[in-house]
């Protein structure tokens, strides 16, 4: 018999979770009181919140026969929240976690969740970040919400609105891997039978690896605008362009080179890898702009330039061609065929 | 036809929500970027998180024929989170909000939610607090999670662990009203047909009124320990007593006087009002301890004294009698019959 959360009291369940939660260095008061207290050394706190819902953001039974483990869901909860702090040029300080759980949820799944959350915090490079508190509720499906705080360490935040005409456009991190991994999970193909980029894609979908050192590094290197690519390069480029009142012109050769990394997986699944690069979300890479002539920090690849908005107003172009509406997926990608 | 959230894009829904969100004075960067930035003037941020789940914490169809409105759920989301900050002796600075919504949710319900959240922030006395950001997800039931931050304004936090033998035990706020209101909603009785305490109970269950000025006031008045009564006076007294390593001895005469306020409602529903006072949660009143001889701040009523733990170890006694296990509801309340 699998022990389920319905068989434990709330305090018994918390007693199993608490020892597994990572304690960083920024917590002045941890779990156990009405609220936690986090250090905010420069008198500002960056804050964001992100939710994963069962059967929307993860599945306990994927078409390919695998299941999202508690560890995977905990890892992704940490990764996507840490990425939001990274995208401001900040370092994470703490998380508070709300878990809504059906009574049938195995206690082991919840313990794995706590382990995955804590493991990601350390492995992704945010060991200072504490899991400072949380809330448990019952519900008919699993819902995981994390709110995360961060410190700008005295720096200005890097907003979406600061891109200037003439800036370089650059990305740090994977492009399209999580989308390829998602397509694998939604197929009949078990990722365990594969190696290389195909295995990487599956792993990076289940356990994203946002480049957490890159956000503060970009801020210090003079980034003018920055955001986390969570909804796909095109859609998020459009958001950054709109916030800045400019157009981002992307370089098809760079995009094609990214797509080639996913070619094997695309062939197996009968998909276009460039579509993954352009529209795939959840890689949690950083999209940044830097003044022309500035050296890009380690890990950033130049993917285009900031140009002025033309007429008709296009937020994103590729090699100077209008790309409006591309994020909807309505346009074909044939003119970028690799 | 009722417009539902499934009929709008995420950005269209956000465009309807954003203008309704209260903007306080503590936000350095509001919604729209990867994260928000909140002022933390004394270099510390108090943080808590709380979730409400449809059909657990609220119902879209109560047995008495009413429905939890979006306004009610938004109000309660604000109230219970603001109360956690209050219980530390702090003032709220910001909220981030995650909404998980079935596609069938009326857009009007979500707009009402935003209105209720914002109205509560102002009406409860936290107009400085901003709604700084959020997240929208799809799901099969409504789940509302709010994370709230606060400022201690240079003061020490008031923890659960500071009660000392000889201290006065005091409460600020209603006791048992929300439980009585919940019993009304779960009955066949429409609260709209009633006035006085019965109407108050229904209103206070739907829209709790935590005493937000009282937390900082208690801190400044020398409170040694404090917490928010969210799970009932007995259970929360036991928690405070356990955290402090003491016993709270409550005064039956004071408890009976509180119960008398709910007598009419109790008669109608065939319930014992003292049970509501002792075990009813969600009033979000403050349970505090103050050194003997200290003047209690406005609104606080003395309900007992801190005594040393006896043998067998009891965390809560009433008139010196052992009350262990009372919070489970297993004990009858006849010896306190009003």
């Amino acid at each position: 018999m699998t022990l389920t959360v319905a068989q434990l009291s709330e305090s018994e369940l918390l007693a199993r979770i608490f020892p597994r939660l990572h304690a960083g260095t920024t917590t002045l008061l941890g779990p156990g009181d009405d609220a936690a207290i986090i250090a905010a050394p420069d008198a500002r706190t960056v804050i964001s919140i992100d939710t994963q819902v069962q059967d929307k953001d993860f599945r306990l039974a994927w078409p390919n026969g695998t299941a999202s483990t508690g560890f995977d869901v905990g890892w992704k909860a940490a990764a996507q929240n840490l990425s939001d702090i990274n995208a401001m040029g900040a370092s994470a300080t703490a998380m508070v976690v709300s878990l809504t759980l059906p009574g049938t949820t195995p206690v082991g799944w919840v313990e794995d969740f706590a382990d995955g959350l804590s493991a990601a915090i350390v492995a992704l490079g945010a060991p200072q970040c504490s899991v400072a508190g949380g809330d448990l509720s019952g519900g008919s499906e699993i819902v995981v919400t994390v709110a995360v705080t961060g410190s700008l360490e005295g720096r200005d935040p890097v907003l979406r609105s600061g891109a200037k005409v003439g800036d370089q456009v650059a990305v740090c991190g994977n492009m399209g891997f999580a989308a390829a991994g998602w397509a694998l999970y939604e197929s009949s193909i078990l990722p365990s039978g594969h190696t290389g980029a195909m295995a990487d894609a599956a792993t990076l979908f289940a356990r994203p690896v946002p480049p957490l050192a890159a956000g503060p590094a970009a801020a210090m290197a003079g980034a003018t605008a920055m955001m986390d690519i969570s909804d796909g390069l095109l859609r998020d480029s459009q958001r950054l362009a709109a916030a800045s009142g400019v157009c981002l012109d992307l370089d098809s050769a760079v995009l094609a080179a990214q797509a080639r990394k996913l070619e094997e997986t695309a062939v197996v699944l009968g998909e276009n890898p460039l579509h993954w690069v352009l529209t795939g979300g959840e890689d949690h890479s950083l999209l940044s702009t830097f003044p022309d002539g500035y050296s890009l920090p380690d890990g950033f690849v130049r993917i285009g330039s900031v140009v002025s908005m033309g007429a008709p107003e296009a937020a994103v172009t590729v090699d100077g061609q209008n790309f409006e509406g591309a994020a909807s997926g309505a346009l074909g990608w044939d003119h970028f065929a690799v």
Side-chain angles (χ1 to χ4, degrees), chain A residues 235-327:
Chain A
R235 182 169 295 187
D236 288 328
S237 291
Q238 287 176 325
R239 288 173 176 157
L240 190 146
S244 295
V246 297
C247 171
L248 303 194
D249 184 47
L250 308 183
D251 180 342
S252 65
V254 179
L255 300 175
Q258 292 291 331
R260 272 192 291 277
K261 299 181 185 176
L262 294 166
E263 208 161 36
E264 179 205 347
T265 310
V267 167
V268 170
L269 293 173
E271 301 257 10
N272 183 337
L274 191 61
H275 187 88
W276 290 333
V277 169
L278 290 169
T279 66
E282 300 206 1
D283 283 311
H284 299 295
S285 297
L286 285 180
L287 173 67
S288 310
T289 56
F290 295 89
D292 189 35
Y294 276 43
S295 294
L296 298 180
D298 279 354
F300 279 89
V301 174
R302 181 172 176 150
I303 65 162
S305 310
V306 179
V307 298
S308 57
M309 241 191 293
E313 294 186 359
V316 180
T317 55
V318 176
D319 297 344
Q321 294 180 45
N322 198 327
F323 227 77
E324 204 63 51

Side-chain angles (χ1 to χ4, degrees), chain A residues 120-168:
Chain A
I121 290 171
V122 175
L124 296 173
Q128 74 286 349
C129 176
S130 304
V131 184
D135 190 31
L136 288 174
S137 303
S140 66
E141 63 193 356
I142 300 176
V143 180
V144 175
T145 299
V146 173
V148 61
T149 59
S151 170
L152 285 160
E153 300 166 340
R155 294 183 298 271
D156 286 338
V158 186
L159 307 184
R160 298 179 179 186
S161 53
K164 299 278 182 298
V165 172
D167 283 353
Q168 311 170 72

Side-chain angles (χ1 to χ4, degrees), chain A residues 28-335:
Chain A
L28 305 175
L29 179 71
D33 219 292
D34 292 84
I37 307 175
I38 311 302
D42 73 359
R44 297 171 298 174
T45 295
V46 182
I47 188 164
S48 184
I49 191 166
D50 233 329
T51 290
Q52 292 179 82
V53 181
Q54 177 186 332
D55 298 331
K56 301 278 181 180
D57 300 290
F58 62 90
R59 294 186 193 281
L60 301 182
W62 288 92
N64 73 349
T66 63
S68 294
T69 64
F71 195 96
D72 290 344
V73 176
W75 181 292
K76 192 177 280 196
Q80 66 189 17
N81 276 279
L82 292 171
S83 182
D84 283 326
I85 298 300
N86 193 38
M88 304 301 285
S91 295
T93 48
M95 293 181 188
V96 288
V97 182
S98 170
L99 284 179
T100 300
L101 301 169
T104 52
T105 309
V107 171
W109 195 95
V110 184
E111 292 173 334
D112 281 352
F113 171 86
D115 288 345
L117 186 83
S118 296
I121 290 171
V122 175
L124 296 173
Q128 74 286 349
C129 176
S130 304
V131 184
D135 190 31
L136 288 174
S137 303
S140 66
E141 63 193 356
I142 300 176
V143 180
V144 175
T145 299
V146 173
V148 61
T149 59
S151 170
L152 285 160
E153 300 166 340
R155 294 183 298 271
D156 286 338
V158 186
L159 307 184
R160 298 179 179 186
S161 53
K164 299 278 182 298
V165 172
D167 283 353
Q168 311 170 72
V169 178
V171 165
C172 180
N174 302 302
M175 298 168 68
F177 275 74
W182 176 80
L184 271 173
Y185 278 101
E186 290 282 358
S187 76
S188 58
I189 296 168
L190 271 176
S192 57
H194 297 269
T195 56
M198 200 146 159
D200 289 348
T203 302
L204 288 168
F205 172 68
R207 301 181 191 179
V209 183
L212 292 195
M220 288 186 267
T224 51
M226 187 154 63
M227 71 183 293
D228 150 54
I229 306 177
S230 52
D231 291 337
L233 177 62
L234 279 181
R235 182 169 295 187
D236 288 328
S237 291
Q238 287 176 325
R239 288 173 176 157
L240 190 146
S244 295
V246 297
C247 171
L248 303 194
D249 184 47
L250 308 183
D251 180 342
S252 65
V254 179
L255 300 175
Q258 292 291 331
R260 272 192 291 277
K261 299 181 185 176
L262 294 166
E263 208 161 36
E264 179 205 347
T265 310
V267 167
V268 170
L269 293 173
E271 301 257 10
N272 183 337
L274 191 61
H275 187 88
W276 290 333
V277 169
L278 290 169
T279 66
E282 300 206 1
D283 283 311
H284 299 295
S285 297
L286 285 180
L287 173 67
S288 310
T289 56
F290 295 89
D292 189 35
Y294 276 43
S295 294
L296 298 180
D298 279 354
F300 279 89
V301 174
R302 181 172 176 150
I303 65 162
S305 310
V306 179
V307 298
S308 57
M309 241 191 293
E313 294 186 359
V316 180
T317 55
V318 176
D319 297 344
Q321 294 180 45
N322 198 327
F323 227 77
E324 204 63 51
S328 71
L331 291 187
W333 312 112
D334 291 351
H335 53 303

